[in-house]
Amino acid sequence: GRGSAETERTLERTTVLLEKLHAKYIASRPWQETFKLVRQAMVSQATVSSLSAMTDRLESIARQNMLGSHLSPSGTECYITSDMFYVEVQLDNGGQLVDVKVAHQGENPTSCLELIQHLREKNFDEFSKHLKGLVELYKLPGDNKLKTKMYIALQSLELDLTKMMHMYRLATSANTLETLLHGSVGLLSARSGGHLVSLHCYLSPYDLLEERTCAPLNLTDNNVPRSLGVSVSVTIEGTSAVYKLPIAPLITGSHPVDNKGTPSFSTVTNSNCVDLPACFFLKLNRPMPFSVAFIQRMGNATSIPVFESPPTLSPLYQLIVQSELRLQEDGSVTPPCPHNMTFYSVLPGQLHCYFLNGDAPVQDGQSLQGAIVSKIPFRHPAQVPLLLDIVRHQAAYNSLISSCVKRTSVDEDGAGLLQFEVCPLTDSSFSVSFQHPVNESLVCVVMDVIDSRQVSCKLYKGPSDALICTDDFITKVVHRCMSIPVTMRAIRRKAETIQADTPALSLIAQTVEIMVKNNLPPSGSPTYNMASCDGPNPMGLPGNVQGWWKRAACCPVLLLVVVAV
């Protein structure tokens, strides 16, 4: 009957589950461990609808996380315990959730809304992740007494950072987005269960759009996803060196000392700080590429090297591309970096090809180098605003470069393909070179990322090239979109609306003839570097293009041919 059919379906599901587990685990795992996995998987298939089923499930999750567990005499309270903390789950007689409380050593238990929500929704995986986070928090050196001191140090830091955010808002009346983008400590989300304090500090304009509908996100303090944009979590970890860390909040008073919300800090003394084999860390929500110069700036801001041993360096643009491709793959794999660093962007009415020339020499004949940073050490709350500004600065630079990186395939021989070269000039600036839309000569836009709020843009063209658009126009577009392809499309469209102001070819020829007779170089064009054929390469051209461009710059007749072709 009906019961036998249901039993048969259950057996089928169990058989399929066992086959999957057998294929995945039997080759490399002992039978006892496989049996444990089967039991856990079968438990997860069951509906948790009674008091005993709920407590069994909680005790199973505790064992998975190497934690102890026990029930109260009434059986309605389940305690998940370690040496440093415990979680109290309160149930009614029917197994329905009443409350979830977390208590750290020396603290009273307090209700945790996130854990309550997860257990009410029977989201046991997320509940387990919180327990794992709590265990990770106490993976510290030393005995329980030393671990308690480190936890108190972290707690003191969290109080100071929370106060710093409120002081910034008091001084500036900033809303959620302004606090996130410009606040001294960004937008702070308090520690909750196994989730650490997080500081949201950077969003690109595209992060502010809903992924499926492209509608603007309505951000409030309580609805910013932890994975959105760039954020850092605040934690403490053991180190080989000893650092003096605060064990009491260091901010004095409740009012900022200036209109930016800067607080006043107590002097570090032996009464409010202790020496510990540990350090505070800002852990990035996603490991991020940083240039060598930016890594050095962070180390200078804290007097602590970002890496305990020198990192392996790679071309920065290669790291940015890999990071962006990994993000597009939802972080599931680390995709290989395309060997030719060429990408395509399909835009309304235009098709772009971008070559990222990350190997171009920037300083002392070396290409722009960098490393992946996952966490940044520090020891005082006053160092956090300095570090976040550097993180934001690098994030803005990376955002612009990665805007060219798309997994798009096109016909390279297709008509109308516009080609661009992106080339680093310094750690914070780069050039985008392309063909003039009217004169067919070579022009470039230099973008200098001054900080996360400002990008300075300047268009370099020949003195006789038609006007494309103003520097101010380009800067405004970049600030609105933080996208190279969108900016290049806007430049092209703007050029179409401006009357070409190119002198007749006869006038150019006459001018060149006079210059040849007088042996005078053309003037008024900083891009071409015509005063010297052996000067730098301010346009960031690839070697083969740079060669003919420099020859053209030094020979007005050749320049005429280049411009006129």
Side-chain angles (χ1 to χ4, degrees):
R2 186 175 177 182
S4 62
E6 182 63 34
T7 302
E8 190 174 335
R9 283 195 295 271
T10 302
L11 285 171
E12 287 177 0
R13 288 197 299 268
T14 304
T15 301
V16 171
L17 185 64
L18 283 167
E19 288 174 353
K20 287 182 179 178
L21 285 166
H22 184 275
K24 188 171 183 180
Y25 294 106
I26 198 67
S28 59
R29 293 175 182 248
W31 169 248
Q32 197 64 28
E33 191 170 346
T34 304
F35 179 77
K36 181 181 176 183
L37 286 166
V38 171
R39 183 176 181 277
Q40 290 172 0
M42 292 181 69
V43 168
S44 69
Q45 300 294 308
T47 302
V48 180
S49 57
S50 66
L51 178 61
S52 60
M54 188 68 168
T55 54
D56 284 351
R57 189 63 187 275
L58 292 171
E59 291 182 317
S60 174
I61 292 171
R63 284 194 297 274
Q64 290 171 30
N65 288 282
M66 309 299 289
L67 294 168
S69 64
H70 65 271
L71 299 177
S72 65
S74 65
T76 56
E77 287 88 31
C78 179
Y79 295 91
I80 298 173
T81 61
S82 80
D83 288 346
M84 303 304 298
F85 70 90
Y86 70 86
V87 177
E88 177 185 347
V89 181
Q90 298 177 2
L91 307 165
D92 63 18
N93 290 325
Q96 297 302 306
L97 189 72
V98 176
D99 197 4
V100 182
K101 296 182 177 181
V102 178
H104 294 269
Q105 197 170 74
E107 291 182 359
N108 293 322
T110 55
S111 294
C112 179
L113 294 178
E114 280 197 62
L115 295 184
I116 292 170
Q117 181 181 349
H118 291 323
L119 287 186
R120 283 216 169 115
E121 296 173 353
K122 303 293 193 293
N123 192 342
F124 297 110
D125 286 343
E126 286 300 318
F127 179 76
S128 181
K129 287 178 184 176
H130 274 271
L131 293 183
K132 184 179 179 180
L134 288 166
V135 171
E136 290 289 326
L137 179 60
Y138 287 104
K139 280 192 174 176
L140 297 165
D143 56 18
N144 289 355
K145 186 176 179 182
L146 192 59
K147 291 180 181 181
T148 300
K149 284 184 180 179
M150 295 179 188
Y151 175 76
I152 292 171
L154 178 62
Q155 202 175 39
S156 301
L157 172 67
E158 291 171 346
L159 290 170
D160 277 339
L161 294 176
T162 303
K163 206 168 184 180
M164 288 168 77
M165 183 183 75
H166 291 314
M167 282 185 165
Y168 175 80
R169 286 187 146 172
L170 181 67
T172 64
S173 302
N175 62 23
T176 297
L177 184 57
E178 291 164 346
T179 303
L180 188 155
L181 294 175
H182 311 309
S184 58
V185 297
L187 182 70
L188 184 146
S189 297
R191 180 155 48 89
S192 175
H195 284 160
L196 299 164
V197 162
S198 65
L199 309 176
H200 295 271
C201 59
Y202 182 80
L203 295 175
S204 75
Y206 289 94
D207 290 326
L208 296 171
L209 299 177
E210 209 279 328
E211 190 172 349
R212 282 171 292 184
T213 65
C214 288
L217 292 175
N218 182 25
L219 295 181
T220 66
D221 286 7
N222 300 316
N223 75 347
V224 180
R226 289 179 181 269
S227 60
L228 187 65
V230 177
S231 65
V232 294
S233 55
V234 183
T235 190
I236 187 169
E237 292 184 2
T239 55
S240 55
V242 173
Y243 296 100
K244 189 177 286 293
L245 301 181
I247 52 170
L250 297 180
I251 294 178
T252 58
S254 57
H255 291 279
V257 297
D258 58 21
N259 60 1
K260 296 180 181 178
T262 307
S264 174
F265 292 97
S266 302
T267 304
V268 171
T269 65
N270 289 331
S271 61
N272 58 22
C273 296
V274 295
D275 291 331
L276 294 170
C279 197
F280 298 133
F281 285 89
L282 298 178
K283 298 186 78 170
L284 287 140
N285 60 334
R286 287 184 293 272
M288 194 169 114
F290 281 79
S291 72
V292 171
F294 277 51
I295 292 170
Q296 290 170 344
R297 281 176 58 190
M298 291 189 290
N300 293 338
T302 62
S303 299
I304 305 171
V306 173
F307 297 95
E308 283 196 321
S309 57
T312 301
L313 300 178
S314 301
L316 181 66
Y317 278 31
Q318 179 180 313
L319 296 176
I320 293 173
V321 168
Q322 287 181 314
S323 181
E324 177 61 21
L325 291 176
R326 189 182 303 115
L327 184 59
Q328 292 178 17
E329 296 285 344
D330 296 325
S332 54
V333 294
T334 303
C337 195
H339 68 279
N340 60 359
M341 295 287 276
T342 301
F343 303 93
Y344 300 91
S345 290
V346 180
L347 299 107
Q350 292 182 18
L351 183 60
H352 294 186
C353 173
Y354 288 91
F355 167 55
L356 303 186
N357 189 5
D359 292 329
V362 172
Q363 188 176 19
D364 300 327
Q366 299 294 314
S367 62
L368 186 58
Q369 298 287 296
I372 298 293
V373 175
S374 58
K375 59 184 181 180
I376 308 159
F378 68 102
R379 53 185 164 186
H380 193 286
Q383 295 169 345
V384 173
L386 301 172
L387 294 174
L388 286 192
D389 279 346
I390 299 170
V391 170
R392 286 168 169 148
H393 194 168
Q394 185 71 65
Y397 186 92
N398 293 1
S399 182
L400 281 168
I401 302 304
S402 63
S403 68
C404 302
V405 180
K406 307 287 184 221
R407 284 196 173 280
T408 306
S409 298
V410 301
D411 180 6
E412 294 186 33
D413 298 324
L417 182 64
L418 303 176
Q419 302 204 21
F420 303 85
E421 181 193 21
V422 181
C423 188
L425 299 177
T426 68
D427 291 277
S428 58
S429 67
F430 58 90
S431 66
V432 184
S433 307
F434 54 98
Q435 188 180 52
H436 192 293
V438 177
N439 302 80
E440 297 185 355
S441 58
L442 195 65
V443 295
C444 84
V445 172
V446 171
M447 297 187 186
D448 185 5
V449 185
I450 299 168
D451 56 34
S452 62
R453 308 183 195 197
Q454 305 175 77
V455 181
S456 170
C457 300
K458 188 166 182 60
L459 174 70
Y460 290 98
K461 66 180 186 66
S464 61
D465 285 339
L467 177 65
I468 303 177
C469 60
T470 65
D471 296 342
D472 186 55
F473 171 81
I474 303 172
T475 299
K476 285 180 179 178
V477 174
V478 170
H479 282 166
R480 289 197 63 169
C481 67
M482 290 299 286
S483 166
I484 293 173
V486 172
T487 303
M488 293 301 111
R489 178 180 183 272
I491 291 173
R492 188 90 182 183
R493 293 296 300 272
K494 188 71 172 177
E496 293 170 2
T497 67
I498 295 177
Q499 180 72 32
D501 188 26
T502 308
L505 285 179
S506 59
L507 180 58
I508 298 179
Q510 184 181 358
T511 305
V512 169
E513 185 179 351
I514 295 170
M515 288 164 55
V516 170
K517 286 180 180 178
N518 297 330
N519 197 24
L520 296 173
S523 62
S525 177
T527 300
Y528 302 157
N529 189 37
M530 294 179 181
S532 169
C533 288
D534 299 317
N537 176 20
M539 290 184 66
L541 303 175
N544 56 340
V545 179
Q546 181 189 351
W548 66 254
W549 188 253
K550 288 171 82 174
R551 290 195 297 276
C554 295
C555 177
V557 176
L558 178 57
L559 180 62
L560 172 62
V561 175
V562 170
V563 172
V565 168

